[in-house]
Amino acid sequence: MDILKVAQDLIKFRTETGCIAEINKLMTYVQNLFQGTSAKIDIYRNIEQAPVFFVRNSDADNFDVLILGHIDVVAAPDSMFEPHIENGKMYARGSLDMKSFAAVALNTMEYVLQNNLPIKFGVILSSDEEKGSHGTEAFMQQNPNLRAKIVLDNDVGGDISKIILKCKNPVFVKLIAKGKAAHGSRPWDGIDANEKIMQSIANLRQYYPYYSKDGQIPSDQWIDTLHVAKICGGNVANVISDYCEALCDIRLTENSSIEELEQNLKKSLVSGVSYQIVSSSTPVVMDPQDPYIVDYKRFAEKILSRSISFEYEGGATDSRAFAVRGSTVIMHSGSGEGMHAEGEYVELDSVLQIADIQRQFVEKLSQSK
């Protein structure tokens, strides 16, 4: 398989989250890549959720290795769906996050099939990772017995010299304030729901401080954080708002619990403000001495001819669904910058190096079977 060509082909499908027509076209393209092989392919569809593509060499539930990825991307102008290569970098939406590495995963699948490696191996590609991975959740519920000894996760970081050992628990909380409408010139006649939300957020800041690039930056970044993603309140300028809501994106380390978060919410929210936990998950925490991670790291260092360090990542990962089922999750990706931004790019050498690491790693695993 020509990995870079496949990556460019995948990028050209405008698979912004929710664009089911383009997502279906891409999945048909991927399905066609395995025509004439012994691959077993299913596309899991749920009326309410985005489809999930699953290609594998076994119908078993207990896999030796699974690779997780996603093929949806955030919105971008038309020009970003036409990849261009310059100075060893490929610029395009999804080049780094993460169609290049979906192509790597598919290449590894092809390698396992062509060489008839005696391991149970598969690739799972979701299509709504950028908006909560509800499709993956539905897929896992449909497959309650699905397990893997090892999960390779290429949807992390952006620096091939680092393996991610920890990812935080993303918790999304909606704050809801109810007030009383009044004319804007007579605020004493009303109760401003917007003010209630702002006061509550200010109170929450004693537990989750505000950080920004031009302000305070913590020396230890493995901490709980709160980002106010959205605030909606009021309809017209001269009326006191009687309703307001805010969506908070809270990232918890493995040292914090949902119960502690709820205690902080209850202590912070002023009268008239309630909360709903929209979604929560679990942090992913791996042991650097895990033998599979040690082995993988050794291959990576050999191929890259340099040392690999361990790092923590504040973002979430779909591989958490397998971590809670006992998998060793190896979070390692290629290099690039501009994820979700206009200048997104991936370093092409790093794409080919990740592919080489994966091939050698699964080859070694198959020899030990």
Side-chain angles (χ1 to χ4, degrees):
M1 182 180 294
D2 185 335
I3 299 172
L4 299 183
K5 180 183 183 305
V6 171
Q8 291 177 79
D9 288 346
L10 295 178
I11 286 168
K12 291 176 183 177
F13 291 99
R14 191 169 187 143
T15 54
E16 295 170 342
T17 312
C19 294
I20 298 300
E22 284 293 294
I23 287 168
N24 286 337
K25 289 178 185 178
L26 184 149
M27 289 189 174
T28 298
Y29 168 88
V30 174
Q31 197 166 12
N32 290 337
L33 290 175
F34 293 96
Q35 278 189 347
T37 74
S38 59
K40 304 173 187 300
I41 298 175
D42 284 303
I43 300 176
Y44 287 79
R45 300 185 186 278
N46 183 301
I47 294 174
E48 298 179 356
Q49 308 298 351
V52 174
F53 186 93
F54 189 16
V55 55
R56 60 207 183 277
N57 66 349
S58 171
D59 280 327
D61 285 330
N62 56 328
F63 282 80
D64 295 300
V65 183
L66 288 174
I67 304 181
L68 297 191
H70 65 92
I71 50 84
D72 62 312
V73 297
V74 299
D78 293 344
S79 59
M80 289 196 71
F81 293 93
E82 288 295 331
H84 74 276
I85 294 174
E86 184 179 342
N87 298 323
K89 300 174 181 177
M90 179 162 64
Y91 294 82
R93 173 61 76 241
S95 56
L96 180 62
D97 183 22
M98 60 157 292
K99 288 181 175 178
S100 298
F101 302 105
V104 168
L106 297 171
N107 177 75
T108 307
M109 181 79 250
E110 182 187 68
Y111 181 81
V112 170
L113 292 167
Q114 287 182 342
N115 292 276
N116 198 27
L117 297 187
I119 58 173
K120 289 174 283 188
F121 183 90
V123 175
I124 298 172
L125 299 175
S126 66
S127 60
D128 68 342
E129 189 274 345
E130 299 294 0
K131 289 191 177 178
S133 298
H134 302 297
T136 300
E137 291 175 8
F139 169 79
M140 296 300 286
Q141 290 171 2
Q142 287 178 297
N143 296 272
N145 298 318
L146 185 61
R147 300 287 189 279
K149 292 178 184 176
I150 303 166
V151 168
L152 301 179
D153 183 354
N154 300 141
D155 187 30
V156 288
D159 185 344
I160 199 171
S161 69
K162 297 175 181 177
I163 292 173
I164 306 300
L165 280 183
K166 295 182 182 182
C167 284
K168 293 181 182 179
N169 176 9
V171 186
F172 290 88
V173 177
K174 181 186 287 187
L175 306 182
I176 300 168
K178 295 181 180 179
K180 180 182 178 182
H183 196 281
S185 66
R186 296 180 61 83
W188 45 83
D189 288 341
I191 301 173
D192 194 334
N194 295 352
E195 285 287 344
K196 286 183 174 290
I197 286 288
M198 289 188 289
Q199 289 169 17
S200 297
I201 292 172
N203 292 340
L204 275 169
R205 286 300 180 195
Q206 66 183 307
Y207 304 105
Y208 311 101
Y210 174 68
Y211 302 99
S212 75
K213 189 171 183 177
D214 59 358
Q216 181 183 8
I217 299 176
S219 56
D220 177 8
Q221 297 183 13
W222 193 245
I223 55 174
D224 298 339
T225 60
L226 182 154
H227 147 69
V228 183
K230 188 176 182 181
I231 300 178
C232 299
N235 294 309
V236 294
N238 62 348
V239 176
I240 301 295
S241 174
D242 63 357
Y243 181 87
C244 182
E245 65 179 47
L247 181 63
C248 296
D249 174 359
I250 300 170
R251 305 296 171 122
L252 302 179
T253 73
E254 78 280 12
N255 302 314
S256 300
S257 67
I258 298 294
E259 291 73 22
E260 291 168 337
L261 168 61
E262 291 197 84
Q263 291 175 11
N264 293 338
L265 285 165
K266 290 172 182 176
K267 288 184 286 187
S268 300
L269 303 187
V270 301
S271 175
V273 180
S274 60
Y275 72 90
Q276 296 175 0
I277 295 182
V278 178
S279 65
S280 66
S281 185
T282 182
V284 176
V285 180
M286 291 292 117
D287 181 356
Q289 299 305 315
D290 182 293
Y292 292 130
I293 293 177
V294 170
D295 216 22
Y296 180 95
K297 183 172 180 285
R298 186 180 301 117
F299 276 111
E301 289 177 333
K302 179 181 177 183
I303 288 167
L304 297 176
S305 299
R306 55 175 156 161
S307 62
I308 298 285
S309 61
F310 290 124
E311 190 174 72
Y312 303 159
E313 170 62 49
T317 169
D318 278 353
S319 58
R320 63 187 181 271
F322 283 93
V324 298
R325 296 187 182 186
S327 299
T328 293
V329 178
I330 303 176
M331 297 175 276
H332 189 216
S333 187
S335 299
E337 291 185 4
M339 193 179 296
H340 293 190
E342 188 172 340
E344 180 179 357
Y345 72 85
V346 69
E347 295 178 11
L348 297 179
D349 284 348
S350 75
V351 175
L352 300 177
Q353 287 167 334
I354 289 288
D356 199 11
I357 293 166
Q358 284 190 5
R359 285 194 301 266
Q360 292 197 34
F361 182 66
V362 298
E363 181 73 46
K364 172 68 182 306
L365 285 173
S366 69
Q367 292 172 3
S368 63
K369 294 290 288 183

